[in-house]
Amino acid sequence: MTDSLPVLGEPPAAAPSGVLAACDGSDGSLWALDRAMTEAEVFGLPLYVLAVVNPSPTGYPPGMVELVRESIERLVESMADGLRRAVATVQAARSQRYEGDLVLHVVLGNVIEVLLACTPGQHTLVVGTRGNGGFTRLLLGSVSSAAVHHAACPVLVVPAPPARRP
């Protein structure tokens, strides 16, 4: 059951080689997660699903971290719940349920930095073309673009599925 999937707070950097899927809950990341499940099945590898939370992109002034710690913990737990729901949504839409090793990770930090730090030793990184960022006109989002240029493993960028015609 998806609700019982544990969520680890550390990145899968030291884990055995597997398929790493970046997931922010956007449609693009759900399509990428579905493809990552297929990749993990085909190659018989574990699947690591990673969500990164950056509560303060500009950092906190001295002493402020202690004041916002509870809010950060709630934010991480909310992201963990969202990650479980994302996996459940993708599982429900698949014709065959993913039965392989699946580990969820919610990590604090800069999305690009954390994601790239997790790629050494991984078989494949799977990302969507665009996530929840604000620049929908871009062909590739900032995360997928950085992954393609700087990841230490092969990167699979999953485009949106073609629009269905009536």
Side-chain angles (χ1 to χ4, degrees), residues 43-126:
F43 291 103
L45 295 169
L47 174 60
Y48 306 111
V49 184
L50 175 66
V52 182
V53 179
N54 194 357
S56 177
T58 59
Y60 292 107
M64 186 65 139
V65 172
E66 288 303 316
L67 295 174
V68 297
R69 184 170 309 280
E70 186 178 325
S71 295
I72 293 171
E73 289 170 1
R74 277 187 270 141
L75 180 62
V76 168
E77 188 52 42
S78 175
M79 191 64 162
D81 289 342
L83 199 53
R84 288 185 194 101
R85 283 193 306 275
V87 169
T89 297
V90 171
Q91 287 278 40
R94 291 173 58 87
S95 59
Q96 184 173 338
R97 186 171 170 79
Y98 176 76
E99 299 292 341
D101 292 335
L102 174 66
V103 182
L104 307 180
H105 299 267
V106 175
V107 179
L108 288 172
N110 174 281
V111 175
I112 293 171
E113 290 172 6
V114 170
L115 190 60
L116 293 177
C118 294
T119 62
Q122 296 303 326
H123 181 272
T124 311
L125 168 63
V126 183

Side-chain angles (χ1 to χ4, degrees), residues 123-150:
H123 181 272
T124 311
L125 168 63
V126 183
V127 295
T129 53
R130 286 189 301 274
N132 284 323
F135 299 102
T136 57
R137 70 184 180 280
L138 296 175
L139 294 175
L140 285 178
S142 59
V143 173
S144 53
S145 182
V148 165
H149 289 96
H150 303 289

Side-chain angles (χ1 to χ4, degrees), residues 4-50:
S4 63
L5 282 174
V7 178
L8 303 178
E10 71 273 356
S17 181
V19 175
L20 177 62
C23 187
D24 64 4
S26 65
D27 287 345
S29 73
L30 296 181
W31 299 319
L33 178 56
D34 180 52
R35 182 53 190 256
M37 287 179 179
T38 300
E39 293 291 310
E41 288 170 335
V42 167
F43 291 103
L45 295 169
L47 174 60
Y48 306 111
V49 184
L50 175 66

